[in-house]
């Protein structure tokens, strides 16, 4: 599909791994292999997004971005989570969160969840100026987490869905992290996301599988 509203935003060097909107200010943030977070703002006069800033500090690729209020959380290949004040575009906290790459972030109620190739899912609470660790969940030995999402099952109970590098999708009850089971897949599961009454899994062979809660 192509129309006159399509245009490209150039600024990064290399792959882009995450894009997140900041709707209150008509902005988006993007992060990628170049370790940079770029800020883009919509110009009403030109009807285009223009780069208005860049944030640097990570020593590894940016893998995930999340906006909460006036804060931007960034997860990186360098194992850290950084917290950015969007009013000043300054990093206000750096946390050595995991021993390996931080593959995903998830905002759940008043908490921030992070997952990593080190086989842990961690729960954080933002108590300015610190990101405080409140819980660490360890997965089975040698299992890394590639991504995660929150979902509501058929009983409308919150469930954490995690994509793991052993070809499995694992499920945990929130907030207890009690194990709810696992789905073993034939192909690598690279990412997961959720929708009303269902969740989705993206595989390395190009397949998207759709699962319905029953």
């Amino acid at each position: 599909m192509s129309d006159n509203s399509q245009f490209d935003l150039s600024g990064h060097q290399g792959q882009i791994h995450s894009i997140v909107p900041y709707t209150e200010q008509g902005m988006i943030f993007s992060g990628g292999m170049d370790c940079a977070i770029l800020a883009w703002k919509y110009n009403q006069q030109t009807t285009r997004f223009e780069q208005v800033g860049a944030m640097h500090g990570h020593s590894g690729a940016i893998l995930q971005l999340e906006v909460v209020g006036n804060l931007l959380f960034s997860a990186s290949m360098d194992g850290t989570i950084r917290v950015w004040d969007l009013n000043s575009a300054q990093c206000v906290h750096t946390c050595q969160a995991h021993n390996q790459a931080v593959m995903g972030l998830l905002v759940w109620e008043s908490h921030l969840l992070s997952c990593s190739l080190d086989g842990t899912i961690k729960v954080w609470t933002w108590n300015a100026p610190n990101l405080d660790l409140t819980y660490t969940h360890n997965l089975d030995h040698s299992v890394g987490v590639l991504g995660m999402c929150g979902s509501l099952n058929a009983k409308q109970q919150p469930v954490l869905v995690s994509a793991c590098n052993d070809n499995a999708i694992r499920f945990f009850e929130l907030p207890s992290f009690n194990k709810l089971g696992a789905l073993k897949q034939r192909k690598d599961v690279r990412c997961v996301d959720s929708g009303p009454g269902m969740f989705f899994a993206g595989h390395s062979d190009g397949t998207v599988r759709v699962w319905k809660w029953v």
Side-chain angles (χ1 to χ4, degrees):
M1 183 177 69
S2 179
D3 58 37
N4 292 331
S5 65
Q6 177 181 326
F7 52 91
D8 297 331
L9 304 179
S10 298
H12 283 286
Q13 302 294 320
Q15 298 178 7
I16 297 172
H17 293 297
S18 184
I19 300 173
V20 65
Y22 184 29
T23 52
E24 291 83 352
Q25 297 295 326
M27 298 177 67
I28 58 174
F29 296 94
S30 57
M33 285 293 296
D34 57 5
C35 309
I37 301 170
L38 300 187
W40 311 85
K41 188 174 180 64
Y42 187 73
N43 187 317
Q44 295 283 356
Q45 295 181 333
T46 63
T47 66
R48 291 177 177 270
F49 279 93
E50 300 172 352
Q51 185 181 335
V52 294
M55 291 173 278
H56 300 277
H58 282 293
S59 60
I62 311 296
L63 300 179
Q64 184 76 44
L65 299 170
E66 287 286 348
V67 170
V68 181
N70 67 338
L71 298 175
L72 174 68
F73 297 91
S74 57
S76 172
M77 190 80 76
D78 62 16
T80 68
I81 299 172
R82 283 180 175 254
V83 186
W84 308 82
D85 183 336
L86 295 180
N87 293 323
S88 63
Q90 297 297 312
C91 179
V92 294
H93 184 69
T94 302
C95 173
Q96 187 60 51
H98 291 272
N99 295 327
Q100 296 187 45
V102 186
M103 300 299 291
L105 298 173
L106 174 67
V107 177
W108 181 71
E109 294 186 347
S110 60
H111 301 287
L112 181 75
L113 279 64
S114 63
C115 65
S116 172
L117 292 178
D118 66 8
T120 64
I121 299 172
K122 296 187 177 184
V123 182
W124 308 85
T125 302
W126 174 244
N127 293 314
N130 297 313
L131 195 60
D132 293 335
L133 178 64
T134 59
Y135 177 73
T136 299
H137 185 80
N138 294 286
L139 275 72
D140 299 333
H141 180 66
S142 74
V143 174
V145 187
L146 299 172
M148 61 185 173
C149 70
S151 185
L152 295 176
N153 63 16
K155 296 180 180 180
Q156 296 300 292
Q157 297 168 325
V159 176
L160 182 67
V161 183
S162 61
C164 300
N165 62 0
D166 63 346
N167 296 5
I169 303 171
R170 286 177 169 79
F171 305 91
F172 303 96
E173 181 184 71
L174 289 175
S176 68
F177 272 88
N178 290 333
K179 294 181 181 180
L180 297 176
L183 286 172
K184 197 69 176 180
Q185 304 294 293
R186 293 189 299 259
K187 300 289 184 179
D188 291 348
V189 186
R190 306 302 301 179
C191 58
V192 288
D193 211 333
S194 63
M198 63 187 70
F199 65 92
F200 315 95
H203 295 261
S204 60
D205 63 355
T207 303
V208 176
R209 303 192 75 181
V210 183
W211 302 84
K212 186 175 181 180
W213 292 108
V214 294

